[in-house]
């Protein structure tokens, strides 16, 4: 769940891309990058860090041009080296740059094919570099003069070759901007336009909030398997490029990943989270009608929307019992468990008077590794709570994610192989309440009834791309568990080939 943005405007795009990336920062805090296109040349700045730390005034001044793409990264493949931050670039054919949100599940096989049949070299361990090269190779078959149909044909072959979840935005030197979404629509991507008197300007982004901030009118989501091409005059061309498209978006976007003010596949995330709160309230009403909850307390930030609705639905007082340090980012998407653990207490502090002598129901949007809830329950007890109950607006997370969320190791998931009651005992709760998976789906459908299928793999272990088996998951776990990532942390010292001398500071 990285964030991507593409912008074609009538004036310089650097500031517009920067602003969009800051709005998408919640999708990736590890690295940020921007590639602009100016008079036939690409200009790049990318580095590890938050948007505000990566782009300084001197970088912004050099990122010239009316066309560009940007990325905020939360790695799910390869290393966290700067060299694997995005956008990526390849010189043939034409000169192409690409930014990707998602994760390819057949990237090893593709890498092999790229080398042995397509005569292309992949220089990093990033699956995004693989995706770019597959796209480049397929475009190369279309000849020198690209019509929209040529680009769509190339994307069609990309879909045939690539497996997994992917939303990508790309610039082809001198030709235009391209975006495409995987045939299952797992990862989100939307587009919109703005006209400030000089003609149509186009923005493509992971979430509609980026368009809101830039003053763009949202047109719609890209459909699963659909590609979009914006020519150099700003004309938009779209075409479905998948053989069997079906919409099965990642339901975890609604649970945690996306901002509440985002509209995803026709459903406001704010609305779906409210419905999650109501459904959870219903479950408490039916399974625990004689509950003795005095107060409902959210665990900021993401659970707030559901917790407030749950409290109202139950008719119980809602109170903000934890104060959040606004200068600490999201803990779940931090790279290592030590950092994640330390950050919970740095981020959240209890307000004693809301806990003293009370039976509190703490509500979180989800429990993944259990890092947050274990410490929060402890803090609630230290603050004087009599009973500490815990509710999760999502069902138990029991299976790894392979489509762009960094949950690669089942053994690190607190609910893996455990019942709901066992999780409650392990985290030290006096009672545990989880959302039911059918209720979670129903919560989303209540906001947009057209949403039929979802990728719910982290909850039900069903991988909709059909290519995931035990061996794949075992290999992924071995490669990307926290310890393995820690031992490759020295990768930060790698030299990135992308850096121009004046990019390095
Ligand atoms: O069980 P865990 O492994 O701790 O993961 C789940 C927690 O992590 C997320 O919070 P985060 O701090 O990332 O972001 P938020 O401020 O948006 O809630 C999520 O909202 C849960 O609180
Ligand atoms: N979270 C993502 O979308 C990650 C994109 C890509 N797989 C990377 O690791 O950079
Ligand atoms: Mg949270």
């Amino acid at each position: 769940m990285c964030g991507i943005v593409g912008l074609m405007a009538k004036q310089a795009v650097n500031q517009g891309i920067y602003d969009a990336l800051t709005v998408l920062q919640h999708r990736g805090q590890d690295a940020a990058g921007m590639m602009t296109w100016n008079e036939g040349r690409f200009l790049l700045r990318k580095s590890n860090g938050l948007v505000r730390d990566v782009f300084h005034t001197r970088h912004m001044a050099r990122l010239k041009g009316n066309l560009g793409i940007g990325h905020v990264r939360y790695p799910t493949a390869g290393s966290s080296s700067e060299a694997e931050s995005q956008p990526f670039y390849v010189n043939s054919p034409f000169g192409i740059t690409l930014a990707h949100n998602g994760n390819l599940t057949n990237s090893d096989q593709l890498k092999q094919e790229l080398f042995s049949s397509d005569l292309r070299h992949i220089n990093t361990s990033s699956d995004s570099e693989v995706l770019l090269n597959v796209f480049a190779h397929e475009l190369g078959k279309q000849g020198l003069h690209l019509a929209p149909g040529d680009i769509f044909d190339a994307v069609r072959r990309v879909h045939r070759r690539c497996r997994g979840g992917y939303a990508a935005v790309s610039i082809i030197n001198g030709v235009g901007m391209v975006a495409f979404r995987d045939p299952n629509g797992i990862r989100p991507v939307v587009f919109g336009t703005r006209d400030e008197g000089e003609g149509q300007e186009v923005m493509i982004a992971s979430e509609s909030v980026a368009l809101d901030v830039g003053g763009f009118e949202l047109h719609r989501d890209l459909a699963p398997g659909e590609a979009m091409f914006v020519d150099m005059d700003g004309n938009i061309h779209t075409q479905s490029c998948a053989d069997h498209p079906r919409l099965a978006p990642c339901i975890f976007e609604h649970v945690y990943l996306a901002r509440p003010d985002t509209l995803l596949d026709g459903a406001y995330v704010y609305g779906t989270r409210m419905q999650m709160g109501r459904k959870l309230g219903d479950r408490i009403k039916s399974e625990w009608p004689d509950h003795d909850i005095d107060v409902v307390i959210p665990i900021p930030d993401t659970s707030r929307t559901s917790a407030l609705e749950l409290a109202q639905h139950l008719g119980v007082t809602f109170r903000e019992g934890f104060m959040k340090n606004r200068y600490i980012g999201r803990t779940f998407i931090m790279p290592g468990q030590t950092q994640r653990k330390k950050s919970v207490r740095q981020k959240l502090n209890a307000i004693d008077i809301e806990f003293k002598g009370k039976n509190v129901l703490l509500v979180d949007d989800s429990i993944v590794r259990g890092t947050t809830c274990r410490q929060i329950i402890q803090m609630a007890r230290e603050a004087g709570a009599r009973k500490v109950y815990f509710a999760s607006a999502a069902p138990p997370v029991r299976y790894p994610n392979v489509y762009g969320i960094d949950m690669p190791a089942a053994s690190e998931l607190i609910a893996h192989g455990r019942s709901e009651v066992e999780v409650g005992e392990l985290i030290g709760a006096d009672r545990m309440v989880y959302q039911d998976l059918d209720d979670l789906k129903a919560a989303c459908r209540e906001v947009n009834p057209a949403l039929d299928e979802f990728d719910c793999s982290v909850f039900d272990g069903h991988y909709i791309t059909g290519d995931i088996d035990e061996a794949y998951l075992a290999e992924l776990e071995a490669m990307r568990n926290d310890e393995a990532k820690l031992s490759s942390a020295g990768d930060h010292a790698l030299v990135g080939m992308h850096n121009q001398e004046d990019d390095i500071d």
Side-chain angles (χ1 to χ4, degrees):
M1 83 169 265
C2 301
I4 58 171
V5 60
L7 177 55
M8 184 183 282
K10 299 295 173 192
Q11 15 31 48
V13 291
N14 50 4
Q15 193 61 44
I17 292 176
Y18 180 98
D19 293 344
L21 289 179
T22 59
V23 174
L24 298 174
Q25 186 80 79
H26 60 283
R27 298 184 68 83
Q29 301 171 166
D30 284 27
M34 188 191 307
M35 183 95 82
T36 57
W37 182 84
N38 188 46
E39 296 174 1
R41 284 191 67 192
F42 284 111
L43 302 153
L44 169 68
R45 168 67 186 166
K46 62 177 182 175
S47 184
N48 283 348
L50 297 173
V51 175
R52 63 162 185 257
D53 301 321
V54 168
F55 303 103
H56 300 168
T57 312
R58 62 187 187 283
H59 304 121
M60 293 293 280
R62 288 174 190 148
L63 288 163
K64 295 196 173 90
N66 297 356
L67 174 60
I69 60 174
H71 190 263
V72 283
R73 182 173 191 227
Y74 158 64
T76 60
S79 74
S80 52
S81 153
E82 254 173 39
E84 299 194 9
S85 58
Q86 302 192 34
F88 275 98
Y89 164 77
V90 73
N91 72 350
S92 173
F94 310 104
I96 308 173
T97 179
L98 178 137
H100 161 225
N101 168 213
N103 196 58
L104 299 186
T105 52
N106 63 339
S107 97
D108 287 348
Q109 179 205 328
L110 288 169
K111 203 167 174 173
Q112 195 53 44
E113 284 173 19
L114 282 165
F115 183 73
S116 57
S117 327
D118 303 347
L119 307 183
R120 284 179 173 268
H121 167 65
I122 303 299
N123 206 55
T124 70
S125 45
S126 163
D127 58 328
S128 310
E129 191 188 3
V130 169
L131 179 62
L132 167 58
N133 276 273
V134 172
F135 180 47
H137 180 76
E138 297 306 332
L139 262 184
K141 293 178 180 166
Q142 302 296 146
L144 199 56
H145 300 286
L146 292 181
D150 295 310
I151 293 166
F152 297 137
D153 285 349
V155 174
R156 184 173 295 278
R157 292 195 297 274
V158 169
H159 290 325
R160 285 186 185 146
R161 292 181 68 177
C162 295
R163 295 279 168 278
Y166 49 93
V169 59
S170 169
I171 298 171
I172 307 170
N173 173 29
V175 178
M177 179 163 71
V178 180
F180 52 90
R181 187 178 185 189
D182 66 78
N184 296 295
I186 298 174
R187 300 263 67 95
V189 56
V190 297
F191 68 95
T193 57
R194 169 179 86 178
D195 191 335
E196 293 181 329
E198 293 175 71
Q200 177 163 278
E201 302 177 305
V202 185
M203 184 181 272
I204 298 163
S206 297
E207 292 187 29
S208 61
V209 279
L211 274 59
D212 297 344
V213 166
F216 286 80
E217 191 192 327
L218 174 70
H219 281 215
R220 60 180 176 84
D221 301 75
L222 271 193
E226 189 180 27
M228 163 176 179
F229 168 56
V230 190
D231 64 33
M232 295 307 274
D233 297 321
N235 302 310
I236 297 174
H237 311 256
T238 58
Q239 195 174 104
S240 176
C241 300
D243 298 331
H244 306 288
R246 63 164 174 170
L247 183 62
C250 169
I251 206 160
F252 209 68
E253 291 277 354
H254 288 276
V255 169
Y256 166 72
L257 303 180
R259 259 174 58 146
D261 45 341
T262 271
L263 193 58
L264 285 180
D265 296 305
Y268 254 117
V269 175
Y270 180 73
T272 56
R273 286 190 189 152
M274 275 176 46
Q275 291 299 334
M276 288 174 211
R278 292 182 77 85
K279 301 275 179 206
L280 202 53
D282 285 338
R283 190 158 191 198
I284 293 174
K285 279 183 184 170
S286 72
E287 290 182 3
W288 190 14
D290 55 346
H291 73 78
D292 57 355
I293 303 164
D294 297 319
V295 60
V296 170
I297 295 179
I299 298 171
D301 254 336
T302 301
S303 70
R304 277 182 157 133
T305 317
S306 310
L308 178 58
E309 194 64 16
L310 182 153
Q312 282 191 348
H313 199 55
L314 274 186
V316 174
T317 310
F318 172 86
R319 285 289 161 81
E320 294 271 9
F322 291 102
M323 206 27 65
K324 177 179 169 264
N325 177 347
R326 68 177 70 198
Y327 301 102
I328 303 277
R330 297 183 111 179
T331 47
F332 171 70
I333 61 171
M334 285 177 181
Q337 185 61 6
T338 317
Q339 195 182 344
R340 287 193 286 260
K341 227 166 153 177
K342 193 166 149 244
S343 298
V344 175
R345 277 193 187 252
Q346 284 180 335
K347 178 171 163 169
L348 299 168
N349 194 28
I351 298 167
D352 291 15
I353 50 165
E354 294 299 353
F355 293 87
K356 256 194 185 69
K358 295 182 187 167
N359 296 338
V360 299
L361 175 66
L362 306 183
V363 182
D364 210 344
D365 52 87
S366 56
I367 301 173
V368 182
R369 297 179 179 89
T371 323
T372 310
C373 57
R374 281 193 219 225
Q375 295 191 60
I376 287 288
I377 291 173
Q378 187 66 30
M379 284 160 73
R381 293 203 193 280
E382 286 164 11
R386 190 149 35 118
K387 292 261 177 69
V388 184
Y389 307 126
F390 205 93
S392 162
V397 172
R398 294 206 165 98
Y399 305 93
N401 188 282
V402 298
Y403 301 130
I405 312 173
D406 197 31
M407 294 182 198
S411 60
E412 289 169 7
L413 307 172
I414 193 165
H416 179 73
R418 290 196 178 94
S419 68
E420 299 185 6
V421 173
E422 284 169 335
V423 174
E425 283 167 4
L426 196 62
I427 66 175
D430 292 304
R431 184 166 179 142
M432 182 73 221
V433 187
Y434 267 114
Q435 184 86 265
D436 179 76
L437 181 54
D438 284 337
D439 287 341
L440 174 61
K441 293 182 199 171
C444 297
R445 285 183 195 126
E446 253 154 58
V447 182
N448 180 7
L451 288 173
D452 183 25
E453 282 184 282
F454 296 94
D455 155 41
C456 301
S457 50
V458 298
F459 303 120
D460 62 10
H462 173 63
Y463 296 92
I464 52 173
T465 49
D467 59 335
I468 304 302
D469 56 19
E470 286 305 318
Y472 179 90
L473 293 175
E475 197 181 330
L476 181 70
E477 172 149 4
M479 268 173 54
R480 290 198 60 81
N481 69 65
D482 271 332
E483 224 168 290
K485 272 185 274 180
L486 206 62
S487 64
S488 65
D491 275 343
H492 287 287
L494 283 179
V495 176
M497 285 178 63
H498 60 280
N499 280 315
Q500 295 173 14
E501 201 183 340
D502 55 8
D503 279 327
I504 302 168
D505 51 20

